[in-house]
Amino acid sequence: MDAKESTNERTASRKKKSKRHKENPDEAVGEDYPIDIWLLLASYIRPEDTVKFSLICKKAWTVTCTAAFWTRLYRRNPAVPETTPSTLKNSNCLLFWCRKIEGNRREPMWEFNFKFKKQPPRLKSNCCKGLQPPVQYEDVHTNPDQDCCLLQITTLNFIFLPVVMGMIFTLFTINVSTDMRHHRVRLVFQDSPVRNGKKPRLDQGVQVILDPVHSVRLLDWWHPQYPFSLKA
């Protein structure tokens, strides 16, 4: 009997709340917590739960637009995995520079850096078109290196390269060097992008061959070792 009475009381309470909501649809239902509470809760979420947290309510989403949220998230997770060079397709070469570095051997090695602007994927859905960050957090989302990555190739000696700045990077291959101890990298740059499903024509582009190669790395703009300011 006590269980039935408790169930009936909960059902009646829900009906009253539903009736009040129908009579006053503009009246807010639930508690409205300040944004400081959501900022505090955001300090305990995992990086992979950022999207779930932002979908709780509008204030939770506003917290994910602040610089404090991303700064704390980065300090708790400084180790970011690197990307494989195979992800580079039809990228615009914005910048190129090389520098001499100290290697494991007695003589120095050379580091070739290609900064690319990757083409963003085409989205057919416009569901998030009207969702814009708050005006006071515009500086947080201003990123000139958005969708950029750095292809870093270290060679055992200096290799002269032609001018490729502003060209479209269309092909990347890596295999074993002629000495069977290092790598051999081949890059192809063209003046116009290649259509999907078609192979780039080598006679219409600039081919760059680096051999022997000591190491190859691809760093996204969010990687800790990505050079935001060019000092090389």
Side-chain angles (χ1 to χ4, degrees), residues 116-131:
F116 295 98
K117 180 77 172 180
K118 295 190 292 185
Q119 294 182 355
R122 297 180 180 179
L123 301 177
K124 298 181 179 179
S125 177
N126 296 327
C127 58
C128 299
K129 191 174 182 180
L131 192 61

Side-chain angles (χ1 to χ4, degrees), residues 172-187 207-214 216:
F172 172 90
T173 59
I174 180 171
N175 47 32
V176 183
S177 178
T178 53
D179 58 3
M180 304 299 292
R181 294 185 303 172
H182 302 91
H183 297 289
R184 178 180 182 269
V185 174
R186 183 167 67 103
L187 310 173
Q207 185 174 211
V208 176
I209 296 179
L210 301 175
D211 186 14
V213 172
H214 180 264
V216 179

Side-chain angles (χ1 to χ4, degrees), residues 41-56:
L41 294 175
S43 303
Y44 299 94
I45 68 171
R46 300 177 300 175
E48 56 268 26
D49 295 333
T50 303
V51 176
K52 295 180 181 179
F53 177 79
S54 64
L55 294 176
I56 296 177

Side-chain angles (χ1 to χ4, degrees), residues 1 8 22 44 46 50 67 69 72 80 82 90 94 100 121 140 142-143 150-151 159 173-174 193 197 212 227 231:
M1 293 295 293
N8 293 335
K22 291 181 180 179
Y44 299 94
R46 300 177 300 175
T50 303
F69 170 79
R72 294 176 183 177
V80 184
E82 297 183 12
N90 291 345
L94 300 176
K100 187 183 294 186
V140 179
T142 302
N143 182 16
L150 181 74
L151 179 62
I159 301 175
T173 59
I174 180 171
K231 298 180 180 180

Side-chain angles (χ1 to χ4, degrees), residues 45-185:
I45 68 171
R46 300 177 300 175
E48 56 268 26
D49 295 333
T50 303
V51 176
K52 295 180 181 179
F53 177 79
S54 64
L55 294 176
I56 296 177
C57 64
K58 188 175 181 179
K59 287 189 176 181
W61 170 78
T62 304
V63 165
T64 60
C65 298
T66 61
F69 170 79
W70 294 106
T71 303
R72 294 176 183 177
L73 189 67
Y74 178 78
R75 288 176 179 175
R76 289 189 288 116
N77 303 273
V80 184
E82 297 183 12
T83 321
T84 57
S86 59
T87 58
L88 280 177
K89 291 183 179 179
N90 291 345
S91 302
N92 186 16
C93 182
L94 300 176
L95 198 60
F96 161 74
W97 71 93
C98 66
R99 65 174 182 173
K100 187 183 294 186
I101 61 175
E102 295 182 0
N104 297 329
R105 309 183 308 168
R106 293 182 179 179
E107 60 271 17
M109 295 188 295
W110 288 84
E111 185 182 87
F112 295 85
N113 298 274
F114 300 88
K115 185 178 179 182
F116 295 98
K117 180 77 172 180
K118 295 190 292 185
Q119 294 182 355
R122 297 180 180 179
L123 301 177
K124 298 181 179 179
S125 177
N126 296 327
C127 58
C128 299
K129 191 174 182 180
L131 192 61
Q132 299 295 333
V135 180
Q136 61 269 29
Y137 302 129
E138 286 183 353
D139 295 339
V140 179
H141 295 266
T142 302
N143 182 16
D145 292 318
Q146 181 71 30
D147 298 326
C148 287
C149 60
L150 181 74
L151 179 62
Q152 194 174 83
I153 302 174
T154 305
T155 60
L156 302 179
N157 46 44
F158 177 77
I159 301 175
F160 177 79
L161 299 185
V163 179
V164 294
M165 273 190 289
M167 301 185 70
I168 306 298
F169 174 69
T170 57
L171 184 63
F172 172 90
T173 59
I174 180 171
N175 47 32
V176 183
S177 178
T178 53
D179 58 3
M180 304 299 292
R181 294 185 303 172
H182 302 91
H183 297 289
R184 178 180 182 269
V185 174

